[in-house]
Amino acid sequence: MSGTADVAVIGAGPVGLAIAWRCAERGMRVVVRDPAPGSGASAVAAGMLAPVAEAYFGEEPLTRLLVGSAARWPRFAADLHAASGMDLGYRAEGTLVVALTGDDLAEAERLWTYQTGLGLPITPLRPAALREREPLLAPRLRGGAYAPGDHQVDPRRLVPALRAALDGAGVPVRPEAVGALSTVDARVVVVAAGCGTAPLTGLPIRPVKGQILRLRAPGGAPPGFLHVIRGYADGRHVYLVPRADGEVVVGATVEERGDCAVTASAVLELLRAAAALLPEIAEYELVEARAGLRPGTPDNAPVLGALPDRPGVIVAAGHYRHGIVLTPVTAELIADLVSTGVPDPALAPFGPGRFLSSRFLRGEADSGWN
Ligand code: GLY
């Protein structure tokens, strides 16, 4: 591409690439810049599309956004399949919440009672009904629930598919770092750089470490279970995500630190909790143990919208534990904002303005304030 782009997207994770793709579909000239495309949180993400099981006390605006984005996922996956020729591994068996002990059940029940109170689809199940759905679950489980609308996708297929769609649309993805937004030549700059958004904008987006495992069922067989399992096991939280190709993702720690070391204790704890719920996985091959950094914000919700003090700069970052599920809604609403200049009302709770005072106090932005 020569000349000034309509839009420069900084960051080539799923969110940035999907914004670029939706902008190109709207007829804009787009360029994406990232020194290491797809190397952020999405490379370790499990791919749970879980607006119900992730609905947490006091996060109702975020829950509304999660529900809205999960509803967009089937169409998004179909559009991307049509544009890229790639299958994203979208699966709709739903999620089982399972509790090992009486204390685990009390904790899980408290959350799903809150979730049903919001009108979200989640149904308590007795142990026999859980094992009817998944016969390999441990016999000593105390109970659980079924969230039929909490689906899954394979995040490692998402970035290649988006890149193929962008190739088809003639959008370049340049392997270049951006040191300061003032150096970017475009009508609108969208900062979708995950944890890298903080140094560019001064917004309080911090790394939150997650350690995650990948297992493989023996002999190339598919895993012996179909649902995503979200477990409570002796006070520990764990999830297991089965893929058709035999992979099982087991995750994840949530640690307030910014290193990517894999620790023996995290591997031990994740495997102990997972095998307590689904004993068969102890026989699976452990093929990967990895750590990544989620871009967290002070209220766990993403930052979506124009920077009030920086004309032409829009932020789409801080997706924390929800980057994959929130990719469709983020891409579509940000592409609409770029093309019309008018924010969709659904963006109102997520504007960067809610964090600007802390940015001011920290004085980190290249905003002309410092
Ligand atoms: N969304 C799952 C995680 O962050 O571990």
Side-chain angles (χ1 to χ4, degrees):
M1 180 190 299
S2 61
T4 301
D6 295 318
V7 193
V9 179
I10 314 304
V15 167
L17 294 172
I19 290 169
W21 176 46
R22 291 307 200 191
C23 284
E25 282 184 328
R26 285 158 175 74
M28 292 177 247
R29 285 158 48 91
V30 187
V31 61
V32 182
R33 291 175 61 179
D34 189 324
S39 65
S42 71
V44 285
M48 289 175 298
L49 310 176
V52 176
E54 293 271 352
Y56 201 70
F57 306 104
E59 296 182 351
E60 288 81 6
L62 174 59
T63 295
R64 266 192 295 280
L65 194 71
L66 291 168
V67 168
S69 198
R72 290 172 189 247
W73 247 104
R75 171 77 193 276
F76 181 85
D79 286 356
L80 192 48
H81 183 252
S84 68
M86 294 184 187
D87 171 24
L88 301 182
Y90 185 91
R91 288 180 61 173
E93 286 90 347
T95 293
L96 290 179
V97 177
V98 300
L100 189 63
T101 67
D103 283 349
D104 292 325
L105 183 58
E107 183 185 351
E109 210 164 22
R110 186 167 163 180
L111 189 56
W112 78 58
T113 302
Y114 162 74
Q115 292 159 348
T116 47
L118 293 180
L120 298 172
I122 184 163
T123 313
L125 293 181
R126 294 190 180 283
L130 287 170
R131 296 193 70 226
E132 210 167 284
R133 285 192 166 272
E134 289 298 359
L136 294 182
L137 283 170
R140 58 180 274 241
L141 290 180
R142 292 296 299 276
Y146 177 45
D150 281 14
H151 299 164
Q152 62 140 310
V153 71
D154 187 344
R156 288 188 174 172
R157 299 179 184 206
L158 186 53
V159 165
L162 285 164
R163 291 200 65 174
L166 289 176
D167 269 355
V171 174
V173 178
R174 297 198 182 128
E176 299 165 352
V178 170
L181 297 181
S182 51
T183 65
V184 181
D185 181 25
R187 188 174 60 78
V188 175
V189 179
V190 178
V191 187
C195 292
T197 301
L200 289 172
T201 62
L203 285 162
I205 296 175
R206 71 187 192 286
V208 181
K209 178 176 176 179
Q211 300 190 54
I212 194 158
L213 311 177
R214 280 177 163 78
L215 279 56
R216 192 158 283 284
F225 60 106
L226 295 170
H227 298 77
V228 173
I229 308 290
R230 182 175 286 268
Y232 296 71
D234 284 320
R236 297 184 188 86
H237 299 174
V238 69
Y239 52 76
L240 297 93
V241 185
R243 307 250 195 259
D245 66 359
E247 183 179 88
V248 174
V249 180
V250 177
T253 63
V254 181
E255 302 168 63
E256 286 293 344
R257 46 193 295 165
D259 66 278
C260 283
V262 174
T263 63
S265 65
V267 176
L268 187 67
E269 297 286 293
L270 288 169
L271 286 179
R272 199 202 305 275
L277 300 169
L278 223 119
E280 178 181 276
I281 61 117
E283 309 300 325
Y284 289 18
E285 185 185 356
L286 175 59
V287 290
E288 186 181 302
R290 203 161 153 182
L293 302 174
R294 308 172 182 91
T297 65
D299 59 10
N300 298 336
V303 187
L304 306 172
L307 283 180
D309 59 326
R310 302 284 299 273
V313 177
I314 290 172
V315 177
H319 290 70
Y320 187 39
R321 309 189 69 214
H322 312 295
I324 304 298
V325 64
L326 290 178
T327 291
V329 77
T330 301
E332 287 153 22
L333 297 188
I334 295 295
D336 287 346
L337 174 60
V338 174
S339 67
T340 65
V342 180
D344 187 287
L347 292 175
F350 308 105
R354 73 195 199 276
F355 296 133
L356 281 182
S357 55
S358 58
R359 184 177 72 145
F360 181 77
L361 289 172
R362 292 175 344 139
E364 284 181 9
D366 69 337
S367 62
W369 289 357
N370 46 7

